[in-house]
Amino acid sequence: MPLNRDVLWYKDAIIYQLHVRTFHDSNGDGIGDFQGLEERLDYLQDLGTSAIWLMPFFPSPLRDDGYDIADYNAVHSSYGTLEDFRKLLGSAHDRGIRVIIEMVLNHTSDQHPWFQESRSSQDNPRRDWYVWSDTDTRYKGARIIFRDTETSNWAWDPISKSFYWHRFFSHQPDLNYDNPAVREEMWNVMKFWLEMGVDAFRLDAVPYLVEREGTNCENLPETHAVLKELRRKLDEQFPGRMLLAEANQWPPDLRPYFGDGDEFHMAFHFPLMPRMFMGLKLEDRKPITEILQQTPEIPSSCQWCLFLRNHDELTLEMVTEMERDYMYDTYAESKTMRLNLGIRRRLAPLLDNDHRRIELMNGMLMSLPGTPIIYYGDEIGMGDNMNLGDRNGVRTPMQWNGGTNGGFSTAAPERLYAPLIQDPVYGYPAVNVLRQESSEHLLLNWMRSIIKVRRSTAVFGRGSIEFLYPANHRILVYVRRLGNEAVLVVNNLSSTAQAVELDLGRYKGNILIEMFGKNMFPRVGDLPYLLTMGPYQFYWFRLRRM
């Protein structure tokens, strides 16, 4: 299956996020690798994946799971060689699967040769590749992001006897984007991977590239200028490739990252995700409709990226303090589940392993405007391990079967990069791919089914959205439209059965065709359209004139 040549391919994509080391170990050393991932591409193709997003796989001290990069133009030896990566890329493309990789622009590891040179003396040619200061009092307006571990954005370097700037961990010094040599070098890094055939980059932590006194050092015009320059070069030299922004900001602050269609192609919709969980717990559509009403229009070539969970904590930065307290109280009653301003849990445990709620949340993920991302293991309902530090509790090995090490590796269990989950509910003997493939009623086959329906029409990836506001506030209703095609989506956010009357006057005469079973529901007439729904049930209907 050759790659789809449409330059807007990302609008219709189903993206699957994984870490190479967590997925499959081919050589028995306890760490997942490129060859292991390649061996599992058929599984991803069967799921309906059209793009995989790989977390960082570059040489790194791994103090921040690879986001602390020590060499941008190589791969970590644990995962294989550059040739192994090229082979994986070719095998993915043969299956019609694109490959998105991380580009950590904002900072490097303090072990990177650039930083080692920069700190070696104040006269070194690379000195101004990083942000140095004689005092730690500059840029006071910038917030500390990792509040649980860092007390300042400045760190003292005993070698060069001065302070360096870091927005994340102190072992991750920020690059200096006011330096043209840095900007040129980072484009050369991107070009290295683009020439190899990589389809897209997820650009990490993009709001923080540039610092200015008297500001919060986020979303600055100078940062946007850097990003527009990268996009211009990408379009000129590699048309059809894509840039995805990780910018954890409110929608109005996020809108400029699309520019006039000349900056990012896609950006994560961070504020929507926690409000989906809130709407479900409150049994009220308001948190969801409200944030989407506040979401600005974006250029027609651009797209939001939607997700329920990922490799980081469920971030609560883009909610009010009252909403944050509510989320903590309802989804993270134990303090061990909290990290920074977020909740470090996987999807299934967050939803008490209730498959009705898991299906409903995935139904919304697949039908709201944007491109959905599935986090590895969530398609089978994997659990988490709160005994592992930082965010590692949601980064445990993929559970393929009920055999040794869950089919992830043939290594001795103590050699695995992280222990497999073994509790009775989420442990690999109970939750694994092989077991779920044996029953059409389990989550994996349900996920394959909904992805297949989602991919059967462009309306979900490219269509407009119009909310209906029935009197029953427990029901979230919207119509997705593209050209002559219209799909009605009705979600019951309640734990109890509900009835709802819908005003479908503009669709009078249409028949509703339920998209999963292709069964016909009554024609829309003059009266409000009555539906009754079970707990957490949802419908997707094609609206058809017949």
Side-chain angles (χ1 to χ4, degrees):
M1 184 199 297
L3 286 179
N4 166 8
R5 288 291 152 208
D6 184 350
V7 294
L8 298 179
W9 58 268
Y10 48 88
K11 290 204 162 215
D12 306 311
I14 303 289
I15 301 174
Y16 187 96
Q17 182 198 356
L18 63 97
H19 199 336
V20 175
R21 77 169 187 178
T22 67
F23 211 58
H24 184 51
D25 168 22
S26 70
N27 63 1
D29 66 354
I31 301 168
D33 44 50
F34 293 123
Q35 188 182 328
L37 172 53
E38 189 183 358
E39 289 168 4
R40 297 295 186 178
L41 286 175
D42 287 344
Y43 166 79
L44 295 176
Q45 187 178 14
D46 290 346
L47 182 63
T49 305
S50 53
I52 49 175
W53 157 24
L54 306 182
M55 288 170 62
F57 51 72
F58 311 96
S60 164
L62 299 180
R63 293 183 66 189
D64 186 22
D65 213 4
Y67 284 88
D68 47 335
I69 293 173
D71 182 353
Y72 284 99
N73 289 13
V75 302
H76 197 289
S77 58
S78 296
Y79 308 144
T81 64
L82 267 178
E83 193 47 49
D84 291 331
F85 177 76
R86 278 195 188 91
K87 198 160 167 290
L88 166 69
L89 201 55
S91 296
H93 287 171
D94 288 346
R95 291 167 173 77
I97 297 174
R98 282 182 163 83
V99 178
I100 304 166
I101 71 168
E102 292 278 357
M103 190 47 55
V104 184
L105 289 176
N106 182 67
H107 49 266
T108 69
S109 164
D110 59 6
Q111 302 304 304
H112 198 294
W114 299 344
F115 187 70
Q116 293 300 318
E117 286 183 50
S118 185
R119 80 195 307 191
S120 65
S121 86
Q122 305 209 6
D123 304 322
N124 188 279
R126 290 204 208 267
R127 178 64 176 178
D128 64 350
W129 279 46
Y130 294 84
V131 182
W132 294 95
S133 173
D134 292 331
T135 75
D136 61 356
T137 57
R138 294 167 65 198
Y139 311 137
K140 284 277 193 197
R143 66 194 170 105
I144 296 168
I145 295 168
F146 286 168
R147 302 197 315 186
D148 287 2
T149 47
E150 301 294 338
T151 56
S152 170
N153 288 320
W154 291 103
W156 174 253
D157 178 41
I159 294 173
S160 62
K161 304 285 192 292
S162 49
F163 293 94
Y164 62 86
W165 179 252
H166 61 91
R167 286 311 300 269
F168 294 91
F169 291 118
S170 56
H171 57 79
Q172 293 168 324
D174 277 28
L175 287 161
N176 176 18
Y177 276 87
D178 285 327
N179 184 341
V182 169
R183 297 198 298 272
E184 186 61 29
E185 186 57 34
M186 294 313 288
W187 168 247
N188 288 337
V189 167
M190 291 171 71
K191 201 159 68 167
F192 174 83
W193 295 102
L194 290 162
E195 286 171 346
M196 200 178 295
V198 161
D199 300 283
F201 293 109
R202 173 203 182 257
L203 297 190
D204 180 69
V206 293
Y208 318 110
L209 299 185
V210 178
E211 303 76 34
R212 287 293 180 268
E213 207 61 72
T215 74
N216 67 356
C217 298
E218 298 181 25
N219 311 317
L220 300 182
E222 295 88 343
T223 290
H224 287 289
V226 170
L227 296 167
K228 283 183 195 295
E229 182 185 350
L230 289 174
R231 171 64 186 271
R232 180 180 55 76
K233 290 177 175 176
L234 184 80
D235 285 351
E236 285 172 2
Q237 299 177 43
F238 300 95
R241 311 297 176 92
M242 184 269 283
L243 298 179
L244 166 58
E246 190 222 13
N248 190 357
Q249 304 287 326
W250 289 96
D253 292 326
L254 231 165
R255 171 62 184 84
Y257 286 93
F258 295 111
D260 297 318
D262 61 350
E263 202 162 316
F264 281 95
H265 302 79
M266 300 181 77
F268 295 107
H269 200 316
F270 279 101
L272 172 61
M273 175 266 303
R275 286 169 178 81
M276 292 170 70
F277 286 94
M278 283 174 61
L280 185 68
K281 190 61 87 167
L282 291 166
E283 301 192 0
D284 194 319
R285 64 178 177 244
K286 188 178 178 185
I288 300 168
T289 55
E290 209 169 54
I291 198 67
L292 287 168
Q293 284 162 352
Q294 293 170 28
T295 299
E297 288 289 312
I298 59 177
S300 59
S301 62
C302 295
Q303 180 83 322
W304 293 107
C305 234
L306 309 183
F307 61 100
L308 297 174
R309 288 300 300 110
N310 62 18
H311 62 294
D312 284 334
E313 63 270 31
L314 190 164
T315 177
L316 300 177
E317 287 184 90
M318 297 303 132
V319 297
T320 65
E321 287 202 18
M322 189 181 297
E323 289 169 333
R324 188 177 303 132
D325 289 343
Y326 178 77
M327 286 290 288
Y328 278 148
D329 290 346
T330 51
Y331 286 109
E333 59 276 10
S334 164
K335 290 263 195 312
T336 61
M337 298 171 178
R338 306 176 189 182
L339 182 70
N340 299 313
L341 283 181
I343 299 170
R344 57 186 199 109
R345 300 182 73 193
R346 265 190 179 269
L347 181 63
L350 276 167
L351 301 178
D352 300 322
N353 210 27
D354 182 336
H355 279 222
R356 300 169 307 168
R357 285 191 279 167
I358 293 170
E359 289 176 5
L360 173 61
M361 289 290 275
N362 276 295
M364 290 192 284
L365 174 74
M366 297 286 170
S367 61
L368 286 166
T371 293
I373 295 180
I374 299 163
Y375 185 50
Y376 85 94
D378 280 354
E379 76 277 15
I380 58 171
M382 269 176 61
D384 46 40
N385 182 350
M386 289 298 99
N387 295 312
L388 299 178
D390 195 32
R391 293 161 286 189
N392 296 322
V394 300
R395 302 176 186 180
T396 58
M398 181 67 177
Q399 297 168 194
W400 293 104
N401 58 47
T404 306
N405 297 329
F408 165 73
S409 173
T410 57
E414 61 273 14
R415 291 188 62 207
L416 300 185
Y417 78 89
L420 272 115
I421 291 170
Q422 306 202 38
D423 72 59
V425 176
Y426 299 106
Y428 67 88
V431 176
N432 62 68
V433 170
L434 185 65
R435 180 168 181 262
Q436 296 217 355
E437 283 182 326
S438 67
S439 170
E440 62 186 60
H441 303 296
L442 295 174
L443 183 60
L444 176 58
N445 282 312
W446 183 90
M447 287 291 287
R448 287 172 174 167
S449 164
I450 193 171
I451 290 169
K452 186 176 180 183
V453 175
R454 152 94 191 197
R455 291 187 65 170
S456 71
T457 170
V459 73
F460 292 120
R462 305 189 184 215
S464 62
I465 187 167
E466 173 199 355
F467 286 101
L468 304 184
Y469 296 94
N472 187 343
H473 62 88
R474 291 182 171 83
I475 307 293
L476 172 67
V477 191
Y478 39 93
V479 177
R480 304 297 313 276
R481 293 179 65 87
L482 183 67
N484 295 324
E485 190 171 5
V487 170
L488 171 69
V489 179
V490 190
N491 304 285
N492 178 13
L493 303 175
S494 174
S495 57
T496 58
Q498 299 289 321
V500 63
E501 291 185 333
L502 303 177
D503 178 3
L504 300 180
R506 66 181 290 190
Y507 302 104
K508 184 180 174 183
N510 278 249
I511 283 186
L512 274 60
I513 303 171
E514 198 276 324
M515 292 178 69
F516 292 89
K518 298 187 170 59
N519 295 312
M520 291 189 186
F521 277 53
R523 192 180 300 273
V524 178
D526 293 313
L527 297 173
Y529 199 90
L530 176 65
L531 282 173
T532 53
M533 307 186 73
Y536 304 122
Q537 187 178 11
F538 70 90
Y539 286 120
W540 293 358
F541 294 113
R542 286 186 193 271
L543 294 163
R544 278 272 167 82
R545 288 200 168 277
M546 298 181 81

